[in-house]
Amino acid sequence: MMLRTCQVLYSQTGTPTRGWQPLSFDGGAFHLKGTGELLRAWLVLRLCAWPSLVTHGLALQDWSQRLLGSRLSGALLRASIYGQFVAGETEKEVRGCVQQLQTLSLRPLLAVPTEEDPDSTVKTGEAWYEGNLRTMLRCVELSRSLLKTSAPTGNVLMQLKLTALTSTWLCKVLTSWIRRPGASLELSPERLAEAMDSGQHAQAQHVRLLVDAEYTSLNPALSLLVAALALRWNSSRESGPWVWNTYQAYLKDTHERLRRDAEAADRAGLAFGVKLVRGAYLDMEREMARLQGTTDPTQPDYEAASQSYRRCLELMLTQVSNRGPMCRLMVASHNEETVHQATKRMWELGIPPDGPVSFGQLLGMCDHISLALGQAGYAVYKSIPYGSLEEVIPYLIRRAQENQSVLRGARREWELLSQELRRRLLGQGLRAPR
């Protein structure tokens, strides 16, 4: 009864009093940024649009160090790619980046750039995983301390990559067991939850964990772990979901899995948290399916993936409308049409802009959308890696290789940056805020 009352009050307070107006993503919000920032973004996004540069990024980095030396090569990277996409190395630098985001009405979503390297014995040993765990725990504490004075309790989010804490080999073995007939009884989330330690550092720090999705050869195992964690920490007594899963719309079975998981959480009285993405491993998933002679798990084309995203988005917004704060969603998209669809349906369903639905984009990308959303009062998070050059640059290059379609799609943002820079350099001054 209390939950139903909360949902009614939530719906009433969230109902808008005027018609929905689409946000303008024409770069008008660039007036919030300095000319130096815009110039760097213009240059870096232009460079990242070259497929050969992204494909051979690691080799080019090694060549640059040998030709220019570590110091000069590092300085160039800090002034360009690192400065555009990374918050910094020290806690002071990260805090400065976050403070700047807050002045732009944006929020941080910290991401530790650690991942398993199957070809490295150093990066698959127990000591490496223990070191990653310590780094993740520090990230939880940093995430909370960054917003201690300004963020409402429960709105602090952090990304978590589970293969930084357990081997991909183990996840693949677990996935193969899960896919066997009758495995649901042997490997149920309930049995796994019973075996888990009772403490959760993130919840104690009021930080919600958004678990990354990875390859289809790993995802069933990762989803099992998330489901077990959800049983422990996403109960109705725990103030909404503390552990969220990520769903990749470019996979054929995503809508059905999302529907099934949402209904299961509702039946069990559990809070449900979702980060909805298009997905970053399209080319590699198709290649693996070809080499293994298995069915391609991905949608056949871009439009099919977009349709899948729209269906998943509609499903989750309906869930949020029906369940209120028990259900939370991050619309992680760099697509203008998707963002327009989400904001319009939020208005139609009476979901307030700064409520259980948030938006997410990468730091240094899609600012024409992020800034417009933030200025309109929506909850917007920027995914922020941080760390040393040695840690982050290989991570950034691998992410760029996985997200080449996103980088190619940054052409519109580059054109908007060009227009704004042309306006300023021709002496027309800053565009007046709206």
Side-chain angles (χ1 to χ4, degrees):
M1 182 64 183
M2 182 177 293
L3 176 59
R4 184 177 303 172
T5 302
C6 289
Q7 290 174 345
V8 171
L9 291 173
Y10 164 83
S11 178
Q12 290 176 346
T13 57
T15 301
T17 58
R18 59 184 176 84
W20 174 80
Q21 296 293 326
L23 296 177
S24 177
F25 300 138
D26 63 354
F30 282 152
H31 75 272
L32 298 166
K33 289 204 163 192
T35 302
E37 291 179 274
L38 299 184
L39 278 169
R40 183 183 64 193
W42 180 89
L43 174 62
V44 171
L45 292 181
R46 186 64 172 173
L47 291 173
C48 289
W50 292 350
S52 58
L53 184 64
V54 174
T55 301
H56 303 292
L58 291 173
L60 290 171
Q61 181 200 13
D62 182 62
W63 175 83
S64 173
Q65 287 183 333
R66 285 189 278 112
L67 181 66
L68 303 175
S70 297
R71 180 173 297 182
L72 181 55
S73 175
L76 289 174
L77 287 171
R78 285 186 177 276
S80 56
I81 295 174
Y82 183 95
Q84 181 68 15
F85 298 125
V86 184
E89 180 175 357
T90 67
E91 183 174 321
K92 180 179 179 180
E93 290 173 336
V94 175
R95 288 185 181 279
C97 175
V98 171
Q99 289 172 0
Q100 184 179 23
L101 287 177
Q102 288 177 314
T103 63
L104 301 173
S105 301
L106 305 177
R107 305 176 186 182
L109 175 64
L110 294 189
V112 178
T114 55
E115 57 187 359
E116 185 182 74
D117 182 354
D119 299 324
S120 170
T121 56
V122 175
K123 289 191 175 183
T124 54
E126 184 175 347
W128 189 74
Y129 292 119
E130 289 291 337
N132 286 347
L133 176 59
R134 290 191 294 271
T135 301
M136 294 291 183
L137 294 175
R138 288 195 297 270
C139 184
V140 169
E141 296 168 358
L142 178 59
S143 296
R144 182 56 193 162
S145 67
L146 288 172
L147 301 177
K148 185 173 293 183
T149 59
S150 60
T153 300
N155 285 346
V156 183
L157 310 179
M158 171 189 144
Q159 287 181 238
L160 177 65
K161 193 175 182 72
L162 284 180
T163 52
L165 303 175
T166 186
S167 74
T168 56
W169 174 85
L170 177 60
C171 290
K172 288 179 180 178
V173 171
L174 187 56
T175 292
S176 67
W177 273 87
I178 292 171
R179 289 173 172 168
R180 292 175 55 185
S184 59
L185 298 178
E186 300 175 5
L187 293 171
S188 67
E190 291 79 8
R191 295 189 65 178
L192 190 58
E194 291 174 0
M196 286 182 170
D197 190 284
S198 60
Q200 196 204 39
H201 184 68
Q203 191 209 32
Q205 295 293 323
H206 305 288
V207 176
R208 302 183 191 275
L209 300 177
L210 279 60
V211 178
D212 288 341
E214 302 187 42
Y215 294 100
T216 52
S217 60
L218 309 174
N219 284 340
L222 302 181
S223 293
L224 175 64
L225 293 171
V226 172
L229 289 168
L231 284 171
R232 297 297 303 267
W233 301 108
N234 288 356
S235 74
S236 58
R237 304 184 304 274
E238 302 292 351
S239 304
W242 292 97
V243 182
W244 304 24
N245 205 359
T246 298
Y247 292 80
Q248 301 156 304
Y250 76 151
L251 298 176
K252 294 175 181 176
D253 66 346
T254 296
H255 181 269
E256 176 59 25
R257 289 192 301 106
L258 181 57
R259 182 195 62 79
R260 185 177 63 244
D261 292 350
E263 292 177 354
D266 194 8
R267 286 195 304 271
L270 296 175
F272 190 50
V274 167
K275 181 173 75 167
L276 183 60
V277 303
R278 268 183 171 75
Y281 306 115
L282 178 64
D283 294 336
M284 286 165 282
E285 289 284 6
R286 288 177 174 171
E287 180 64 14
M288 284 191 291
R290 186 188 67 82
L291 292 174
Q292 297 170 5
T294 57
T295 302
D296 183 354
T298 67
Q299 298 286 353
D301 51 42
Y302 182 83
E303 179 51 39
S306 296
Q307 176 64 19
S308 172
Y309 197 104
R310 288 192 289 268
R311 294 179 65 210
C312 293
L313 179 59
E314 177 63 26
L315 187 156
M316 282 306 302
L317 290 175
T318 302
Q319 285 283 321
V320 171
S321 177
N322 291 338
R323 301 194 66 199
M326 286 285 285
C327 187
R328 298 201 180 197
L329 168 67
M330 174 175 283
V331 183
S333 175
H334 297 83
N335 184 278
E336 293 181 18
E337 181 183 350
T338 296
V339 174
H340 278 310
Q341 178 197 358
T343 56
K344 183 176 183 180
R345 286 298 287 150
M346 287 171 66
W347 175 80
E348 292 171 346
L349 294 169
I351 301 172
D354 192 12
V357 176
S358 58
F359 294 84
Q361 288 97 33
L362 297 171
L363 180 69
M365 286 195 67
C366 209
D367 283 350
H368 65 296
I369 295 178
S370 304
L371 294 171
L373 284 168
Q375 293 302 298
Y378 290 90
V380 187
Y381 290 82
K382 299 294 271 187
S383 177
I384 302 177
Y386 65 97
S388 67
L389 275 170
E390 294 75 16
E391 294 171 326
V392 179
I393 292 300
Y395 169 88
L396 286 179
I397 292 173
R398 284 191 290 270
R399 296 292 80 77
Q401 291 169 348
E402 295 164 357
N403 289 276
Q404 288 195 49
S405 62
V406 174
L407 291 171
R408 288 193 295 268
R411 179 175 179 81
R412 170 162 164 75
E413 183 177 5
W414 182 83
E415 291 173 347
L416 293 173
L417 286 166
S418 299
Q419 293 174 14
E420 179 66 19
L421 287 169
R422 192 179 302 115
R423 180 182 300 107
R424 296 188 187 188
L425 295 177
L426 291 177
Q428 297 176 21
L430 300 178
R431 185 187 298 195
R434 298 180 180 181

